[in-house]
C-alpha cells in the first residue's frame, strides 16, 4: 500500500509518521511547489518489492529539474540485479501465460482504475521527475490509464486463425506470448511509456523488466505499486534502475525475448545490435525532425494553435514534435506575426503551479546542448525570431535550466534543420509549391511524424499519402489516441505501439497443421 | 508490312462486327432452360417473346417456366451440392477462372447481345457490363484462395480451443434484374458457387439472352452439371417458385422494393437467409466549392448512364443556392448533348428503356412533374427526339431535367428508374443533408466539395450504404455494397458475400 514516500525537507517528522499515507495527502495539505521532495525508499522494484541494488555498478544523483536539487542518490543496477529481476519475471510469466485472457484483463483493468484514482499523486511525481507543467503531467498519466484500459480490453480477445485445407485437413494459428520483455523508457514521457509498453506486454501474457531513464526513474516505480495493489502477481512487472550499462545488461540477457525501446537513434542502434546477437524481437521508437506543412488555404487560427502544440509542450522535449514548419509564402508573414507573440507569451515557471505553461529542461546538459544548437545555427546564418535564451528565474529556488521558447528562421541545409534538437526550438521555412515542400519535408533521415494544414480535400489526402512518416496528421498535430498505431518510418524506428497491431509485437505466432487422412508412403 | 497486316486486321474486325450485328438482327433466339448441365424446354412447352427495346421487334423466345421447372432445377442443384460443397477452393477457383476466360474470349458477342436485349448502347455494354461480369468471376475465384477465420484459446479452468468452420449453405435462389443483366447475374452466381453452394438462378424475363449464352460456356467448362441452373420466365411463376421452395435456404434478389417486400413475406415462414438489393432515390449534394467541371461531367453520367436504369443513378441533385442557376444552365446544356438513338450506333450515348410499360411509367412521372408546377428544363416535351426509321417503335425517352419541385414531390420521393433527374437548391450544409436524407431509400449518394473537413463530416451524416465523394460508381469489391432503409437488407463484398453464402459453425474443443 505504500507509495513513494516523500520527505518534506522542513517537516521531516510529519512525513515519517505518515508512511502509509499517499503523497497526495501531503500535497493536499499545502500548496505544492518545487523544491520539497526527497526519496528515501529503495529504487528497484523486483518481484513485487522495493529493493536496494545488490550489485551497484555506478552512482547517480537524481536531480529535480525545476530546482537542480538532489532528490536522492541512486545506484545503477549491475549484473546480479538484472539477473534477479529477469529470473523472477521468467518464473512469474510461466503461470501468467497460462492465466486466461479474461483474468489478465480483470487485473489490468483494476490497475487502470487504481491509477485513475491516484492520478494526481502520479502526476506530481512526474513533475518532480521531469519538470513538465502539472497539467501536462496529468494528461500523460491519462494516456497510461487509456493504454491499460485499451489493452485490458484486448487481453481476452486475442485470436489466431483457422484455415480450411483440402480433404478435411485444417490448420490453425495460436498467438502466444514471447516471454520476458525488456523495456527501456526515455525521460520525457516516463509514465506514458511505462503504460504504452507494459499494458500490451502484460495483456499478451508476457512479463516485463523495465529500465526507466536514470533522469526520470520514479513514476515507473509508482506504476509497479499500482500493479501490485491491483493483484498482478509479483514478478510480472519489475523495475531496475540504471543507465546505459544497465540497459546493455538487460538487452543482452539471454532470457529476454524482446526489447522495446524509446530513446535516441544512436542508442536505438546499439539496442538493435545487442538484440541481433541474441536474435531478439525489437521495437524502437526513436527521434524525429518532423515537418508540418501549412498551405495558404488553411484555417490560420487552427494552424497557429496546432503549431504551438506541436513544438512547445514538455519544453520541446518531444520526439514527434514538428520542429520544421513549412509555411506557404502567401501566409508566411501572417503566420509569423501571429506566432511570435504566442511564443513570447510562454513564460517559464514553477512546473507545479497550475498556470505555468512551460518548465525547466530535464537537466543542465540538455539545456547546454539545445543552446549549442542555437548558437551554431546563428553562426550558419539562421535568424532567431524570438527566445532561445537561458532564463534566470525570479524565484531563486528555481535553479534549473530554463530556456525561453524559440523560433528560428533557418534554411534546409543547416545543422538545426537536420539534427534533432530536443528543446523548445521551432524552425520556420517558407515554400511555394506542393511538389517543392514535399521534397523538402521528406528530405530527412527521420520519419516519425508529419502534418499538413489545408482545406483542400484532394491535397490533404494526396500529401498524407506522400509523406514519409509513420504518423501523419491532416489539420492537426501531435494527437495520439491509443486506438491509432504509433511508430516511425526510416530512422525513427521499427514497429508500432498502440492500436490492435501492437498485439503482433508482443506475441509470436504458432501454426498447427491437423491431418485428417492416413499418411501415405512418401519415401 | 506490319502496318498493312494491322490494316487488314482492322478490316476483318469491322467485318466480323457487321456480321455479328446482322446476326443479332436476323435471328430470333430460342432460349432453353439450363438444368443439370443440359438445355431443356420448359415443362409447359410455353414460350414468351422478348423484344429488342430499340426496335420493338421480337428478339428471342423465352421459356415460360413454372414451379415444375424450378422443382427439377432444385432437385439437381441439391444433388450437385453434395460434391461441389466438398471441392477444394483451388478447384473451384480453377473452374471459375476458366469460365472468366471463356466470357472474355466472347466479350464482343455478349456485348452485342446485351445491348440488343436491354436497349443500352453497345459501347456501354462493351465498356462496363461484360468486363464486370468477367471480373466478378476472377474476383471471387481468387478471393477464396486466402480465406481465414478466427481461432481463440481459452486458458485457465475452461481450457478450450474454439475455431470457426465455414459451411456452404446449400442451393441458393438467385433472382437478378434487367438493367445490368449479365453483370448482376454473375455478381450473384460467382460468390454463390465460389463459397461452395449450388444455385438456381432466374434472370429477368426481359433480359435472358446473355444468361443463356453464359450457360453455354458453363456447359463447356469443367463446372460439374447441376452447380449452376438457369430457369427463365416470369417472376410471378418461376421467381415465386424459387422464393417459396423449401429446399432453397437462401435468396439473393436485386430489384424493386415492392418485389423485395413480397419476397421477404413469402420466404419468412422458411426462415431463409435474404440478401435484398432494392431501389434507390440517390442524391447528389453539390457545394459551392465543388470542382464544377468534374462534378458536371460525372453528374450527367450518374443521372443518365444506362438510361438512368441503374439503382445507383442520381435522381435528386441538390445544389448550393449561390451556384444553383449557373449549375442548372450548364448541366442542361450538357444533358442536351447526350445522343439518344440506336444502341448499335457508336455515336449513341443513351439507348432505349427496357419496355413500353416502363416507358409509360417514366412518362407519367414527367407528367406529374408538370402537374406539381415543376419546370422541364430539357428533354420530354421540350426537345425533339430524332430517331432512325428502324428505331421508331423503340422505347426511347429523352434525358429530362426538372427544376422547381420541392422535396415532397413524388418525383423526388419515388424511384423513377429512368432518365429523369430533379435539381433543387439548398442554402446551407444542414439543409443539404436534410434534403438528401429526406427519402424512403438509402442506397448511395454523391458528395461534391473540395473542403476536407466538410467532405468527411457530411459523409458521416448521410443515411446511405455508399457515399461517393467527388466521384461516382468507383467500386472496390472488397468494400460492402448495399442499402439502408427501404433500399435493402444485407451487404455484398468479398467478406459480406462470404458471410451470406456460408454458415459459420463454432467448434469448441476442450483439451
Amino acid at each position: 500500500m505504500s507509495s513513494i514516500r516523500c520527505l518534506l525537507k522542513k517537516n521531516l517528522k510529519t512525513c515519517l509518521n505518515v508512511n502509509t499515507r499517499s503523497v497526495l495527502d501531503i500535497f493536499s495539505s499545502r500548496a505544492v511547489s518545487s523544491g520539497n521532495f526527497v526519496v528515501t525508499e529503495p529504487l528497484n522494484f523486483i518481484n513485487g518489492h522495493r529493493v536496494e541494488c545488490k550489485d551497484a555498478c555506478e552512482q547517480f544523483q537524481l536531480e529535480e529539474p525545476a530546482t537542480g536539487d538532489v532528490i536522492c542518490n541512486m545506484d545503477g543496477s549491475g549484473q546480479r540485479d538484472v539477473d534477479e529481476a529477469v529470473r523472477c519475471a521468467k518464473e512469474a510469466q510461466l503461470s501468467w501465460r497460462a492465466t486466461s485472457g479474461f483474468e489478465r484483463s480483470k487485473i489490468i483493468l483494476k490497475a487502470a482504475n487504481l491509477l485513475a484514482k491516484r492520478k494526481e499523486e502520479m502526476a506530481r511525481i512526474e513533475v518532480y521527475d521531469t519538470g513538465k507543467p502539472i497539467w501536462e503531467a496529468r494528461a500523460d498519466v491519462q494516456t497510461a490509464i487509456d493504454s491499460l484500459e485499451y489493452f485490458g480490453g484486448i487481453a481476452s480477445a486475442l485470436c489466431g486463425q483457422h484455415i480450411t485445407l483440402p480433404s478435411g485437413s485444417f490448420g490453425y494459428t495460436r498467438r502466444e506470448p514471447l516471454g520476458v520483455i525488456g523495456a527501456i523508457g526515455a525521460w520525457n514521457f516516463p509514465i506514458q511509456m511505462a503504460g504504452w509498453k507494459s499494458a500490451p506486454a502484460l495483456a499478451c501474457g508476457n512479463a516485463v523488466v523495465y529500465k526507466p531513464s536514470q533522469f526520470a526513474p520514479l513514476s515507473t516505480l509508482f506504476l509497479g505499486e499500482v500493479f501490485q495493489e491491483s493483484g498482478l502477481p509479483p514478478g510480472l512487472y519489475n523495475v531496475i534502475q540504471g543507465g546505459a550499462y544497465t540497459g546493455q545488461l538487460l538487452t543482452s540477457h539471454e532470457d529476454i525475448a524482446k526489447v522495446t525501446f524509446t530513446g535516441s537513434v544512436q542508442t536505438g542502434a546499439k539496442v538493435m545490435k545487442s538484440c541481433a546477437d541474441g536474435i531478439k524481437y525489437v521495437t524502437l521508437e526513436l527521434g524525429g525532425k518532423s515537418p508540418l506543412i501549412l498551405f495558404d488555404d488553411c484555417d490560420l487560427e487552427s494552424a497557429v494553435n496546432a503549431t504551438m502544440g506541436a513544438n512547445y509542450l514538455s519544453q520541446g522535449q518531444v520526439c514527434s514534435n514538428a520542429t520544421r514548419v513549412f509555411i506557404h509564402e502567401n501566409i508566411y508573414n501572417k503566420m509569423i506575426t501571429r506566432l511570435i507573440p504566442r511564443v513570447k507569451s510562454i513564460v517559464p515557471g514553477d512546473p507545479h503551479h497550475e498556470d505555468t505553461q512551460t518548465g525547466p529542461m530535464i537537466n543542465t546538459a540538455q539545456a547546454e546542448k539545445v543552446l549549442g544548437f542555437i548558437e551554431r545555427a546563428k553562426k550558419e546564418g539562421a535568424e532567431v525570431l524570438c527566445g532561445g535564451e537561458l532564463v534566470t528565474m525570479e524565484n531563486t529556488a528555481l535553479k534549473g535550466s530554463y530556456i525561453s521558447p524559440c523560433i528560428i528562421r533557418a534554411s534546409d541545409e543547416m545543422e538545426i534543420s537536420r539534427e534533432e534538437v530536443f528543446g523548445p526550438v521551432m524552425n520556420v521555412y517558407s515554400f511555394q509549391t506542393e511538389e517543392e515542400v514535399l521534397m523538402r519535408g521528406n528530405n530527412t533521415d527521420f520519419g516519425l511524424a508529419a502534418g499538413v494544414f489545408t482545406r483542400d480535400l484532394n491535397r490533404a489526402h494526396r500529401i498524407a499519402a506522400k509523406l514519409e512518416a509513420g504518423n501523419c496528421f491532416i489539420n492537426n498535430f501531435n494527437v495520439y489516441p491509443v486506438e491509432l498505431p504509433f511508430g516511425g518510418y526510416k530512422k525513427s524506428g521499427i514497429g508500432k505501439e498502440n492500436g490492435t497491431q501492437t498485439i503482433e509485437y508482443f506475441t509470436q505466432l504458432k501454426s498447427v497443421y491437423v491431418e485428417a487422412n492416413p499418411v501415405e508412403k512418401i519415401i | 508490312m506490319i502496318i498493312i497486316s494491322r490494316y487488314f486486321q482492322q478490316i476483318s474486325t469491322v467485318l466480323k462486327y457487321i456480321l455479328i450485328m446482322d446476326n443479332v438482327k436476323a435471328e430470333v433466339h430460342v432460349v432453353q432452360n439450363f438444368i443439370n448441365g443440359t438445355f431443356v424446354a420448359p415443362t409447359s412447352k410455353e414460350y414468351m417473346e422478348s423484344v429488342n427495346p430499340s426496335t420493338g421487334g421480337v428478339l428471342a423466345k423465352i421459356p415460360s417456366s413454372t414451379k415444375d421447372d424450378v422443382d427439377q432445377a432444385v432437385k439437381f442443384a441439391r444433388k450437385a451440392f453434395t460434391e461441389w460443397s466438398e471441392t477444394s477452393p483451388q478447384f473451384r477457383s480453377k473452374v471459375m477462372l476458366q469460365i472468366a476466360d471463356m466470357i472474355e474470349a466472347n466479350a464482343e458477342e455478349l456485348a452485342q447481345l446485351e445491348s440488343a436485349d436491354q436497349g443500352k448502347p453497345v459501347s456501354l455494354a462493351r465498356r462496363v457490363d461484360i468486363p464486370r461480369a468477367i471480373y466478378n468471376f476472377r474476383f471471387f475465384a481468387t478471393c477464396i484462395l486466402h480465406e481465414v477465420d478466427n481461432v481463440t484459446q481459452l486458458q485457465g479452468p475452461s481450457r478450450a480451443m474454439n475455431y470457426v468452420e465455414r459451411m456452404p449453405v446449400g442451393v441458393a435462389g438467385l433472382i437478378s434484374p434487367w438493367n445490368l443483366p449479365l453483370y448482376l447475374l454473375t455478381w450473384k452466381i460467382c460468390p454463390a458457387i465460389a463459397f461452395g453452394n449450388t444455385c438456381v438462378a432466374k434472370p429477368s424475363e426481359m433480359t435472358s439472352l446473355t444468361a443463356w449464352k453464359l450457360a453455354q460456356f458453363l456447359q463447356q467448362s469443367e463446372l460439374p452439371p447441376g452447380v449452376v441452373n438457369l430457369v427463365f420466365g416470369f417472376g410471378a411463376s418461376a421467381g415465386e417458385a424459387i422464393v417459396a421452395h423449401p429446399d432453397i435456404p437462401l435468396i439473393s434478389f436485386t430489384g424493386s422494393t415492392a418485389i423485395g417486400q413480397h419476397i421477404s413475406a413469402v420466404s419468412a415462414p422458411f426462415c431463409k437467409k435474404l440478401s435484398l438489393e432494392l431501389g434507390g432515390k440517390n442524391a447528389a449534394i453539390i457545394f459551392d466549392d465543388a470542382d464544377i467541371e468534374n462534378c458536371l461531367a460525372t453528374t450527367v453520367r450518374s443521372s443518365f448512364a444506362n438510361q438512368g436504369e441503374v439503382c445507383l443513378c442520381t435522381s435528386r441533385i441538390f445544389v448550393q443556392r449561390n451556384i444553383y442557376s449557373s449549375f442548372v444552365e450548364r448541366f442542361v446544356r450538357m444533358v442536351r448533348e447526350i445522343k439518344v438513338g440506336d444502341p448499335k450506333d457508336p455515336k449513341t450515348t443513351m439507348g432505349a428503356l427496357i419496355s413500353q410499360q416502363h416507358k409509360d411509367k417514366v412518362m407519367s412521372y414527367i407528367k406529374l412533374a408538370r402537374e406539381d408546377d415543376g419546370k422541364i428544363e430539357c428533354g420530354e416535351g421540350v426537345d425533339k427526339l430524332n430517331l432512325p426509321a428502324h428505331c421508331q417503335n423503340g422505347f426511347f425517352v429523352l434525358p429530362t431535367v426538372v427544376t422547381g419541385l420541392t422535396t415532397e414531390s413524388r418525383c423526388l420521393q419515388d424511384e423513377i428508374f429512368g432518365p429523369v433527374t430533379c435539381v433543387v437548391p439548398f442554402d446551407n450544409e444542414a439543409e443539404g443533408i436534410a434534403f438528401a436524407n429526406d427519402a424512403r431509400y438509402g442506397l448511395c449518394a454523391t458528395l461534391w466539395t473540395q473542403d476536407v473537413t466538410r467532405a468527411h463530416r457530411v459523409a458521416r451524416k448521410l443515411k446511405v450504404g455508399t457515399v461517393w465523394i467527388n466521384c461516382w460508381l468507383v467500386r472496390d469489391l472488397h468494400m460492402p455494397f448495399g442499402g439502408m432503409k427501404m433500399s435493402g437488407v444485407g451487404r455484398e463484398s468479398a467478406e459480406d458475400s462470404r458471410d451470406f453464402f456460408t454458415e459459420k459453425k463454432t467448434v469448441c474443443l476442450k483439451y
Side-chain angles (χ1 to χ4, degrees):
Chain A
M1 188 53 200
S2 78
S3 75
I4 292 170
R5 287 164 206 149
C6 82
L7 301 177
L8 297 172
K9 276 182 176 173
K10 291 174 189 166
N11 198 353
L12 208 130
K13 202 176 165 190
T14 314
C15 206
L16 285 174
N17 288 342
V18 290
N19 277 351
T20 54
R21 281 172 60 190
S22 70
V23 178
L24 185 63
D25 296 331
I26 298 153
F27 289 147
S28 60
S29 64
R30 46 172 298 168
V32 186
S33 58
S34 298
N36 53 13
F37 188 66
V38 292
V39 176
T40 55
E41 287 268 301
L43 295 177
N44 277 356
F45 183 82
I46 295 175
N47 214 23
H49 300 287
R50 298 283 288 267
V51 294
E52 299 285 359
C53 252
K54 289 180 188 154
D55 187 13
C57 61
E58 49 188 327
Q59 282 281 321
F60 300 96
Q61 285 197 326
L62 180 61
E63 282 178 21
E64 181 185 13
T67 59
D69 291 349
V70 174
I71 294 176
C72 64
N73 292 309
M74 187 173 83
D75 293 335
S77 305
Q79 186 72 57
R80 277 197 290 143
D81 301 303
V82 175
D83 284 350
E84 174 70 0
V86 175
R87 190 186 61 76
C88 292
K90 193 179 171 188
E91 203 178 300
Q93 198 262 341
L94 290 178
S95 47
W96 183 241
R97 66 179 295 145
T99 307
S100 74
F102 187 67
E103 287 301 315
R104 295 202 299 265
S105 169
K106 275 204 294 196
I107 292 170
I108 295 167
L109 291 175
K110 178 91 185 288
N113 192 276
L114 287 171
L115 186 55
K117 280 187 187 152
R118 300 175 69 177
K119 190 169 167 181
E120 186 63 20
E121 281 174 87
M122 180 59 121
R124 290 292 169 188
I125 288 164
E126 198 76 330
V127 175
Y128 282 119
D129 244 5
T130 65
K132 67 174 70 191
I134 178 65
W135 50 272
E136 273 194 60
R138 287 184 194 119
D140 290 1
V141 181
Q142 186 57 48
T143 63
I145 297 167
D146 291 347
S147 184
L148 289 166
E149 283 178 350
Y150 183 80
F151 289 107
I154 278 182
S156 61
L158 296 184
C159 277
Q161 293 180 326
H162 175 266
I163 300 105
T164 306
L165 298 168
S167 312
S169 296
F170 68 96
Y172 66 91
T173 59
R174 293 168 53 94
R175 284 234 159 259
E176 297 186 345
L178 293 165
V180 182
I181 308 294
I184 300 178
W187 46 259
N188 55 343
F189 288 87
I191 184 60
Q192 178 179 79
M193 284 167 204
W196 284 14
K197 292 182 193 306
S198 65
L202 293 170
C204 293
N206 303 287
V208 176
V209 177
Y210 203 101
K211 190 200 84 65
S213 161
Q214 66 270 32
F215 301 123
L218 299 178
S219 52
T220 42
L221 292 166
F222 189 96
L223 181 64
E225 291 175 348
V226 166
F227 276 134
Q228 191 70 12
E229 199 179 333
S230 70
L232 187 77
L236 289 174
Y237 175 89
N238 309 279
V239 179
I240 50 163
Q241 304 293 357
Y245 179 73
T246 308
Q248 173 67 24
L249 292 176
L250 184 63
T251 58
S252 59
H253 198 289
E254 63 174 3
D255 285 333
I256 292 287
K258 180 220 166 91
V259 175
T260 169
F261 168 80
T262 300
S264 69
V265 175
Q266 293 75 7
T267 314
K270 284 183 197 153
V271 168
M272 199 166 169
K273 274 181 198 145
S274 171
C275 289
D277 288 338
I279 316 290
K280 288 172 186 158
Y281 291 95
V282 61
T283 296
L284 301 174
E285 299 293 350
L286 310 176
K289 192 76 197 175
S290 301
L292 174 59
I293 302 169
L294 313 178
F295 280 93
D296 56 356
D297 66 340
C298 73
D299 177 57
L300 286 188
E301 188 58 23
S302 289
V304 168
N305 290 337
T307 305
M308 297 297 294
N311 278 286
Y312 300 112
L313 294 175
S314 295
Q315 296 75 248
Q317 301 162 136
V318 182
C319 54
S320 62
N321 270 0
T323 49
R324 292 184 298 141
V325 179
F326 294 90
I327 307 169
H328 192 272
E329 59 177 358
N330 292 350
I331 55 165
Y332 181 83
N333 289 336
K334 249 190 270 180
M335 276 299 294
I336 298 295
T337 316
R338 287 194 187 205
L339 280 168
I340 289 175
R342 286 285 294 273
V343 173
K344 279 185 174 165
S345 75
I346 306 175
V347 181
D350 186 332
H352 275 292
H353 293 173
E354 297 292 339
D355 52 0
T356 293
Q357 286 187 286
T358 194
M361 302 301 288
I362 187 75
N363 52 36
T364 315
Q366 183 64 23
E368 280 168 1
K369 190 183 144 205
V370 171
L371 293 170
F373 270 113
I374 298 171
E375 274 315 304
R376 291 192 296 280
K378 282 187 203 161
K379 280 192 189 134
E380 281 189 86
E383 183 189 354
V384 175
L385 302 183
C386 68
E389 284 165 351
L390 214 50
V391 178
T392 309
M393 305 299 285
E394 266 179 46
N395 178 351
T396 51
L398 302 177
K399 299 183 297 294
S401 301
Y402 296 80
I403 294 177
S404 53
C406 173
I407 306 178
I408 288 184
R409 174 155 206 183
S411 54
D412 293 9
E413 71 291 347
M414 292 175 181
E415 178 203 47
I416 201 149
S417 299
R418 290 178 283 110
E419 306 265 327
E420 185 174 40
V421 175
F422 226 61
V425 182
M426 166 171 80
N427 299 340
V428 290
Y429 314 84
S430 90
F431 74 93
Q432 291 176 325
T433 69
E434 181 178 322
E435 197 186 348
E436 166 211 337
V437 78
L438 266 170
M439 203 187 68
R440 293 170 65 190
N442 285 335
N443 186 21
T444 163
D445 288 341
F446 295 105
L448 192 51
V452 56
F453 267 79
T454 177
R455 278 204 179 90
D456 185 322
L457 173 65
N458 298 337
R459 178 155 62 197
H461 294 289
R462 186 170 63 225
I463 288 192
K466 287 184 181 166
L467 288 169
E468 295 166 5
N471 309 282
C472 292
F473 298 89
I474 294 172
N475 293 335
N476 208 336
F477 204 89
N478 267 357
V479 186
Y480 298 105
V482 66
E483 298 90 341
L484 204 59
F486 171 79
Y489 273 22
K490 301 200 266 191
K491 286 188 182 163
S492 288
I494 290 179
K496 291 280 179 186
E497 295 187 313
N498 291 343
T500 53
Q501 272 80 358
T502 308
I503 297 307
E504 291 167 28
Y505 293 97
F506 284 104
T507 56
Q508 52 192 338
L509 197 64
K510 179 183 283 174
S511 296
V512 181
Y513 174 94
V514 184
E515 180 59 65
N517 307 294
V519 180
E520 287 171 14
K521 186 179 173 190
I522 303 163
I523 189 166
Chain B
M1 189 63 197
I2 295 168
I3 295 168
I4 294 171
S5 82
R6 197 176 282 168
Y7 177 66
F8 279 114
Q9 217 173 350
Q10 276 175 3
I11 290 181
S12 74
T13 310
V14 171
L15 282 175
K16 199 170 138 196
Y17 175 64
I18 293 167
L19 283 175
I20 292 166
M21 278 173 37
D22 281 352
N23 263 348
V24 170
K25 210 182 218 175
E27 219 179 306
V28 172
H29 306 275
V30 181
V31 171
Q32 305 289 20
N33 286 335
F34 181 66
I35 295 173
N36 199 32
T38 54
F39 288 96
V40 292
T43 46
S44 66
K45 307 290 177 210
E46 280 175 26
Y47 291 81
M48 62 179 106
E49 289 182 341
S50 175
V51 299
N52 179 331
S54 66
T55 63
V58 176
L59 179 68
K61 290 191 181 297
I62 306 296
S64 184
S65 303
T66 58
K67 184 170 176 300
D68 292 339
D69 302 295
V70 170
D71 286 348
Q72 276 294 311
V74 174
K75 193 181 89 187
F76 286 109
R78 284 190 69 185
K79 190 157 161 272
F81 179 76
T82 314
E83 275 191 26
W84 181 250
S85 61
E86 289 290 329
T87 54
S88 70
Q90 289 74 16
F91 176 71
R92 297 199 293 270
S93 177
K94 192 187 90 176
V95 173
M96 289 180 70
L97 290 173
Q98 200 178 46
I99 298 166
D101 291 345
M102 294 164 99
I103 301 174
E104 194 165 45
N106 294 277
E108 181 57 29
E109 186 190 355
L110 285 163
Q112 299 281 347
L113 270 183
E114 199 74 299
S115 165
D117 205 9
Q118 204 277 336
K120 68 180 70 197
V122 69
S123 57
L124 184 71
R126 217 180 261 147
R127 199 176 64 243
V128 176
D129 293 68
I130 310 307
R132 174 58 187 273
I134 298 164
Y135 186 61
N136 285 338
F137 273 95
R138 293 201 173 128
F139 178 81
F140 284 105
T142 50
C143 79
I144 52 174
L145 297 176
H146 54 257
E147 299 292 353
V148 291
D149 278 296
N150 287 342
V151 168
T152 65
Q153 305 285 341
L154 292 175
Q155 304 280 26
S158 56
R159 189 176 176 80
M161 175 172 79
N162 283 286
Y163 64 89
V164 175
E165 185 82 66
R166 293 268 183 170
M167 313 285 289
V169 185
V171 180
L174 312 175
I175 302 175
S176 57
W178 48 257
N179 59 336
L180 301 163
L182 191 64
Y183 177 133
L184 288 176
L185 176 68
T186 52
W187 177 235
K188 295 185 186 306
I189 288 178
C190 294
I193 64 174
F195 296 117
N197 303 278
T198 57
C199 66
V200 176
K202 189 201 86 65
S204 163
E205 72 279 4
M206 287 183 274
T207 52
S208 298
L209 277 181
T210 47
W212 172 62
K213 205 75 203 169
L214 172 69
Q216 297 171 17
F217 303 143
L218 300 180
Q219 197 180 34
Q220 292 159 24
S221 76
E222 284 183 65
L223 188 76
V227 173
V228 175
N229 304 277
L230 294 168
V231 177
F232 299 97
F234 284 118
S237 47
E240 186 84 3
I242 288 173
V243 174
H245 201 294
D247 290 333
I248 293 184
L250 75 171
I251 303 284
S252 174
F253 168 77
T254 299
S256 72
T257 296
I259 301 295
Q261 288 166 325
H262 176 73
I263 289 175
S264 211
V266 172
S267 64
F270 302 95
C271 296
K272 296 191 182 198
K273 284 182 98 172
L274 282 188
S275 170
L276 304 174
E277 298 297 341
L278 310 177
K281 191 70 193 175
N282 310 307
I285 306 156
I286 301 170
F287 286 96
D288 58 4
D289 67 337
D291 167 3
I292 205 70
E293 302 302 325
N294 180 16
C295 169
L296 277 164
T298 306
T299 307
V300 169
R301 202 163 55 85
S302 74
S303 301
F304 300 109
N306 208 52
Q307 302 77 244
E309 295 168 327
V310 183
C311 56
L312 299 165
C313 270
T314 305
S315 54
R316 299 181 297 146
I317 303 174
F318 299 112
V319 185
Q320 200 154 16
R321 195 176 296 278
N322 53 338
I323 58 163
Y324 173 77
S325 46
S326 74
F327 176 88
V328 170
E329 189 209 317
R330 296 187 62 188
F331 184 67
V332 167
R333 211 185 314 143
M334 288 175 77
V335 171
R336 282 204 166 110
E337 284 165 20
I338 294 175
K339 190 170 176 313
V340 181
D342 184 353
K344 291 199 291 291
D345 185 340
K347 291 194 202 99
T348 294
T349 49
M350 199 171 117
L353 296 195
I354 188 70
S355 65
Q356 182 62 46
Q357 193 193 2
H358 188 53
K359 179 182 169 178
D360 293 344
K361 180 193 153 186
V362 172
M363 293 301 282
S364 78
Y365 275 99
I366 296 172
K367 184 162 164 267
L368 198 68
R370 283 206 186 83
E371 286 164 11
D372 283 354
D373 296 328
K375 182 182 173 204
I376 311 297
E377 299 279 349
C378 68
E380 288 297 325
V382 178
D383 299 308
K384 195 167 158 0
L385 176 58
N386 294 312
L387 291 169
H390 66 280
C391 289
Q392 290 298 332
N393 294 326
F395 319 126
F396 292 89
V397 174
L398 278 169
T400 301
V401 178
V402 184
T403 58
L405 295 177
T406 61
T407 55
E408 298 87 48
S409 163
R410 275 186 59 202
C411 286
L412 278 109
Q413 288 292 329
D414 296 355
E415 182 177 44
I416 300 173
F417 214 66
V420 181
T421 196
C422 303
V423 194
V424 176
F426 69 90
D427 284 314
N428 53 44
E429 183 177 311
E431 190 175 61
I433 294 166
F435 282 178
N437 285 336
D438 179 18
R440 296 191 298 283
Y441 298 100
L443 193 54
C444 73
T446 60
L447 171 56
W448 295 91
T449 175
Q450 293 295 309
D451 184 315
V452 61
T453 312
R454 175 156 65 196
H456 298 294
R457 183 174 60 224
V458 175
R460 268 177 65 87
K461 290 186 178 164
L462 294 173
K463 292 177 190 146
V464 294
T466 301
V467 176
W468 275 295
I469 302 174
N470 298 341
C471 61
W472 179 68
L473 213 59
V474 178
R475 279 282 291 137
D476 178 346
L477 303 190
H478 287 285
M479 299 308 282
F481 170 76
M484 296 183 185
K485 302 198 270 187
M486 299 293 262
S487 288
V489 176
R491 293 291 183 273
E492 295 174 320
S493 71
E495 197 57 42
D496 293 278
S497 299
R498 181 175 182 233
D499 283 346
F500 180 70
F501 284 108
T502 57
E503 292 280 20
K504 291 190 211 180
K505 178 194 293 179
T506 300
V507 180
C508 177
L509 164 73
K510 190 153 171 63
Y511 68 102

